[in-house]
């Protein structure tokens, strides 16, 4: 499994000055992170990206002046394929969640329901291979986008189906391992098999297909 090299570069894109300052003061002083980019719009982010090394994680507000976070996602993922993008918003309606996952987000957190330590944990979860979803987001996504039964039920083993279930609930590989009483390396092997059997290339693609009932 990939070993992380701390500190991790995090970009913060948030137009609310109070929220932006809270995130900057907390996250940027954590030993695990450094924050070379802290801006108030997608347009300002593009300018900074021309001058800086690519961040490992982008914490991106959904409702921004000018281009919104969801609108910017496809272009950001195309330019920064190795960067994880965590959206933050005041809204947890299922359609926004689906749009975010489909566009390549690996996390979706609700501002007024996420403490600063939870923000930190969400970023760490994404870095360890998880999908950072606030509890209300995960619940609504599962309720609204109830996956259809597998179109090829014999394709996955019982254990692979258990691992897949954990991933679609937003758990990291480490959390799936703890749930199933397996080693993280064993779970990582199962995840690679899932990618091969389901013909997906990323966690975002896996979640998007699960949300559409396309597994």
């Amino acid at each position: 499994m990939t070993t992380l090299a701390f500190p991790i570069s995090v970009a913060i894109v948030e137009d609310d000055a109070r929220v932006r300052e809270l995130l900057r003061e907390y996250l940027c002083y954590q030993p695990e992170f450094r924050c070379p980019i802290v801006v108030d719009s997608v347009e300002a982010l593009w300018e900074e990206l021309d001058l800086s090394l690519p961040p490992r994680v982008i914490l991106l507000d959904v409702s921004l002046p000018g281009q919104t976070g969801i609108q910017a996602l496809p272009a950001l993922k195309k330019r920064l394929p190795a960067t994880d993008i965590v959206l933050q918003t005041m809204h947890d309606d299922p359609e926004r969640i689906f749009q975010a996952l489909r566009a390549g987000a690996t996390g979706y957190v609700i501002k007024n329901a996420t403490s600063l330590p939870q923000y930190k944990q969400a970023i760490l979860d994404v870095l360890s291979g998880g999908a950072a979803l606030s509890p209300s987001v995960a619940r609504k996504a599962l309720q609204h986008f109830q996956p259809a039964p597998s179109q090829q039920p014999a394709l996955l083993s019982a254990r692979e189906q258990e691992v897949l279930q954990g991933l679609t609930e937003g758990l990291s590989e480490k959390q799936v391992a703890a749930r199933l009483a397996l080693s993280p390396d064993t779970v990582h092997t199962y995840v690679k098999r899932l990618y091969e059997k389901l013909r997906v290339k990323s966690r975002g693609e896996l979640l998007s297909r699960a949300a559409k009932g396309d597994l």
Side-chain angles (χ1 to χ4, degrees):
M1 299 177 68
T2 302
T3 300
L4 296 174
F6 293 107
I8 297 296
S9 174
V10 177
I12 299 172
V13 187
E14 167 60 58
D15 68 315
D16 185 313
R18 182 183 64 86
V19 175
R20 185 173 65 250
E21 187 61 16
L22 283 173
L23 291 171
R24 186 190 68 79
E25 288 187 351
Y26 181 78
L27 294 176
C28 302
Y29 287 93
Q30 299 300 306
E32 296 89 347
F33 308 137
R34 62 182 183 86
C35 304
I37 300 175
V38 180
V39 293
D40 62 359
S41 68
V42 170
E43 289 76 14
L45 172 63
W46 285 120
E47 292 180 5
E48 291 293 330
L49 289 175
D50 289 334
L51 303 173
S52 306
L53 293 174
R56 180 61 183 80
V57 176
I58 298 176
L59 185 58
L60 179 64
D61 189 22
V62 169
S63 301
L64 291 166
Q67 191 174 39
T68 70
I70 290 179
Q71 289 172 341
L73 263 173
L76 286 171
K77 291 302 297 183
K78 183 176 181 179
R79 176 165 173 175
L80 307 170
T83 297
D84 284 301
I85 300 177
V86 178
L87 290 182
Q88 60 168 354
T89 181
M90 297 294 292
H91 308 285
D92 62 355
D93 59 278
E95 182 56 32
R96 284 176 183 259
I97 297 167
F98 175 67
Q99 289 178 1
L101 294 176
R102 182 174 57 188
T106 45
Y108 195 103
V109 297
I110 306 303
K111 293 181 186 179
N112 59 1
T114 306
S115 67
L116 290 171
Q118 287 172 329
Y119 266 103
K120 175 180 177 178
Q121 189 58 52
I123 295 173
L124 293 175
D125 286 346
V126 163
L127 290 169
S128 65
L133 301 176
S134 293
S136 65
V137 171
R139 183 169 58 252
K140 288 195 174 186
L142 289 173
Q143 289 172 348
H144 190 79
F145 300 115
Q146 187 63 44
S150 174
Q151 297 173 10
Q152 301 182 57
L155 182 64
L156 303 181
S157 69
R159 183 64 85 186
E160 288 167 347
Q161 291 175 5
E162 290 175 335
V163 172
L164 175 61
Q165 178 64 32
L167 297 179
T168 58
E169 290 176 14
L171 300 182
S172 67
E173 291 183 15
K174 184 179 296 185
Q175 290 169 325
V176 173
R179 171 190 283 187
L180 301 179
L182 299 172
S183 73
D185 285 340
T186 298
V187 170
H188 187 62
T189 298
Y190 279 121
V191 171
K192 290 196 294 185
R193 290 178 186 170
L194 285 172
Y195 282 18
E196 292 172 359
K197 289 185 176 182
L198 299 177
R199 298 182 180 179
V200 298
K201 298 180 180 179
S202 68
R203 172 67 67 89
E205 185 179 357
L206 182 72
L207 292 176
S208 178
R209 286 184 56 186
K212 292 183 289 185
D214 190 27
L215 292 180

